[in-house]
Amino acid sequence: MKKCLLLGNGGREAVIGEYISKGYQLYSVLPYENPSIVEAVEASGGKYIVGSPFDKELVEKFIKENELEFCVISSDNLLQDGLIDLAKSLGLKVFGPTSKGSKIEWSKTYALEVVNELAPEVIIKNYKVENIEELDEVIKNYREDNFVVKPEGLTGGKGVKVGGIHFKGIEEGYEYAKACLEDSGKVIIQDKVEGSEFTVMCLTDGKNVVPMPITFDYPYRYEKDLGPGTGGMGCLSYPNGLLPFLTKEDVDECAELMKKTINYLNKDSLEFTGVLYGGFFKTKAGIKFIEFNARFGDPEAINVLNALETPFTEVLENIVNGTLSVENCKFKNTYTFTVYVVSKDYAVKPNKEPTIFKLNTKDIKQSGVKLYFANAKKVEGDTYTSVSNSRLFAIEKTGDNFEEIRKQVYDVIEKDVDKVLDYRKDIGNIYVH
């Protein structure tokens, strides 16, 4: 059986690990013992160690000692830091872009430049600001807070702020843009548009792309999409791979742009395989581009991998062999539904002390839903603790009847999840901004 290294430790890696372990031995370097990843490693007959996945000497030693053959990375910071580059240099087959390839995510100005060259019609009017004088001039274009502020670099899905939602008034938006500028030397100011936001994720072998089921994410902390922007609080997908407000032509347009982007990134050398994630708006003026990510979304990965019909390890083989196609990467005709559970302080205020909570894990698993741990580890028995002020775990269900699987997930959360925790109760509603 082939040996595969997985780096990263969130809910996204928990589901990736589950599906790798069904065909390969799974190996991992974990900053803490994520219960879901540990379970997948042990079930596969693999091995894990506790240590920093950013420690390249440690990772290299682990690869060599265990004679690993594959490496899968879908974490933005690890990709930017060049862990795929390390794996490639050691002769491993890889799923994920090099640091150069992942620039499409970690530099928003670069992504806009690429898309503007390939498909200028999908660009929302924006200004790339590099000093305070430019910022002062750009802000004069707005009479109200009808603009969006985008930091240049990685922010874990929490850095983009939308006028009227995350900040009120021009002055508050200006101050946030100024802080971003001081932090990285660049900030993007973009017109605010109205429309329905959606995600297109494509698997790619560096040349061919296969769109996955379109997902609808909930990137705000509270019901009705109120409160601060967060890592997704939930996610869903539909049996036909679309969403109620999308057509196949909409998705084809996005996928074509993403294929052109992959070809652009790989024009000189193979820098990008794995997943290209595209955020888009459907507006009255057509499809508009939001951003690219160089990896699976979280929780989107939980939804799409549970909808994957072809074994994931077969997909990996076709990606590294350059033979990926819609014929050898098929998805089930099903609904998927995911809800993330968090501490009450998540994204609202710093949580100085770890959150200790209990889970009836036996009943959760027997109920037919899936449990994916993220930023949590076991203390003992059914007692767990948070390891950061981030999302703790996700509950997912796949099925033919949307209302049934939605009810099943929420019933489990209500019955078996500690009341000290919190979650959005409106996942399943489609919101338009």
Side-chain angles (χ1 to χ4, degrees):
M1 187 177 287
K2 293 181 179 177
K3 299 178 177 182
C4 182
L5 174 66
L6 173 66
L7 297 180
N9 53 282
R12 167 181 51 217
E13 285 74 26
V15 69
I16 294 171
E18 174 193 359
Y19 284 99
I20 289 174
S21 72
K22 293 179 183 295
Y24 295 160
Q25 284 188 331
L26 180 63
Y27 290 73
S28 192
V29 179
L30 296 170
Y32 55 87
E33 291 178 301
N34 177 313
S36 297
I37 299 175
V38 169
E39 182 180 333
V41 168
E42 292 176 344
S44 75
K47 179 182 176 181
Y48 74 90
I49 58 172
V50 175
S52 172
F54 291 94
D55 184 340
K56 292 180 181 178
E57 289 186 7
L58 177 66
V59 172
E60 180 173 349
K61 182 182 178 185
F62 187 69
I63 288 172
K64 289 179 176 178
E65 285 181 348
N66 294 285
E67 300 180 334
L68 305 185
E69 302 160 79
F70 268 83
C71 178
V72 174
I73 301 177
S74 203
S75 166
D76 48 10
N77 295 105
L78 289 168
L79 293 172
Q80 181 183 12
D81 211 41
L83 272 299
I84 283 289
D85 305 66
L86 172 65
K88 288 181 75 170
S89 74
L90 296 173
L92 275 70
K93 298 174 181 178
V94 300
F95 175 98
T98 64
S99 181
K100 181 180 178 181
S102 68
K103 185 178 179 181
I104 200 72
E105 175 172 8
W106 54 258
S107 173
K108 290 186 176 65
T109 54
Y110 173 67
L112 285 170
E113 289 165 3
V114 172
V115 175
N116 191 53
E117 181 176 331
L118 299 175
E121 68 278 5
V122 303
I123 293 288
I124 301 169
K125 187 176 180 181
N126 64 85
Y127 304 88
K128 302 174 191 68
V129 177
E130 296 188 5
N131 57 60
I132 195 69
E133 291 76 21
E134 289 180 1
L135 179 60
D136 290 341
E137 286 301 311
V138 166
I139 288 295
K140 292 177 183 177
N141 291 289
Y142 299 96
R143 294 177 180 271
E144 301 172 356
D145 53 13
N146 58 337
F147 60 94
V148 177
V149 179
K150 293 187 170 187
E152 161 70 356
L154 299 176
T155 59
K158 307 173 185 69
V160 176
K161 293 190 183 294
V162 180
I165 299 176
H166 302 122
F167 61 83
K168 306 291 184 182
I170 292 179
E171 185 62 29
E172 195 173 322
Y174 173 86
E175 289 301 321
Y176 179 61
K178 182 180 176 183
C180 293
L181 185 62
E182 291 170 350
D183 182 56
S184 68
K186 290 181 182 179
V187 68
I188 296 167
I189 307 297
Q190 185 171 286
D191 284 4
K192 180 181 174 182
V193 299
E194 290 189 1
S196 299
E197 187 173 347
F198 62 99
T199 299
V200 179
M201 292 191 296
C202 288
L203 288 157
T204 181
D205 57 11
K207 180 176 67 174
N208 305 299
V209 301
V210 175
M212 292 178 266
I214 308 307
T215 54
F216 190 83
D217 182 35
Y218 293 77
Y220 296 96
R221 177 64 178 84
Y222 295 122
E223 277 79 20
K224 300 181 180 178
D225 279 358
L226 300 176
T230 65
M233 294 290 291
C235 191
L236 58 85
S237 69
Y238 283 69
N240 60 3
L242 301 175
L243 293 172
F245 56 83
L246 289 179
T247 66
K248 184 178 182 299
E249 289 70 28
D250 294 331
V251 177
D252 288 345
E253 179 182 345
C254 298
E256 181 60 27
L257 168 60
M258 295 170 78
K259 185 173 183 178
K260 289 179 179 177
T261 302
I262 291 295
N263 291 336
Y264 180 93
L265 297 175
N266 290 326
K267 64 182 185 294
D268 297 321
S269 58
L270 185 61
E271 304 291 347
F272 200 109
T273 67
V275 177
L276 182 63
Y277 168 123
F280 298 93
F281 271 120
K282 183 170 183 178
T283 73
K284 291 180 179 178
I287 301 296
K288 297 298 177 183
F289 170 74
I290 302 173
E291 65 180 359
F292 279 138
N293 292 332
R295 35 74 187 181
F296 279 115
D298 189 349
E300 294 95 333
I302 296 173
N303 294 72
V304 297
L305 287 180
N306 276 296
L308 185 63
E309 185 175 284
T310 306
F312 184 53
T313 50
E314 287 187 18
V315 174
L316 290 179
E317 294 286 347
N318 285 311
I319 285 175
V320 300
N321 292 331
T323 55
L324 185 71
S325 71
V326 292
E327 284 74 33
N328 58 34
C329 182
K330 295 186 179 297
F331 292 86
K332 303 170 190 171
N333 191 36
T334 189
Y335 289 100
T336 67
F337 184 77
T338 302
V339 177
Y340 250 116
V341 179
V342 300
S343 70
K344 292 186 184 298
D345 290 338
Y346 172 57
V348 180
K349 60 182 180 180
N351 191 350
K352 296 179 181 178
E353 297 295 327
T355 300
I356 307 296
F357 61 94
K358 289 185 178 295
L359 280 183
N360 191 339
T361 52
K362 183 179 178 181
D363 282 2
I364 289 174
K365 291 181 179 180
Q366 288 180 346
S367 71
V369 304
K370 287 188 170 184
L371 168 64
Y372 296 102
F373 283 96
N375 294 279
K377 64 180 181 180
K378 179 178 282 195
V379 178
E380 60 179 2
D382 276 348
T383 302
Y384 297 82
T385 180
S386 64
V387 294
S388 68
N389 188 21
S390 194
R391 296 168 297 172
L392 300 174
F393 58 89
I395 304 289
E396 189 275 344
K397 180 65 179 172
T398 300
D400 297 330
N401 184 302
F402 182 75
E403 288 306 320
E404 284 183 7
I405 64 173
R406 183 176 188 268
K407 182 177 186 301
Q408 204 168 348
V409 168
Y410 276 124
D411 283 351
V412 165
I413 294 174
E414 184 65 28
K415 175 175 171 286
D416 297 312
V417 171
D418 201 317
K419 304 307 180 191
V420 302
L421 304 180
D422 198 15
Y423 57 96
R424 277 184 58 164
K425 300 172 180 64
D426 64 340
I427 307 300
N429 298 341
I430 302 291
Y431 295 106
V432 178
H433 297 291

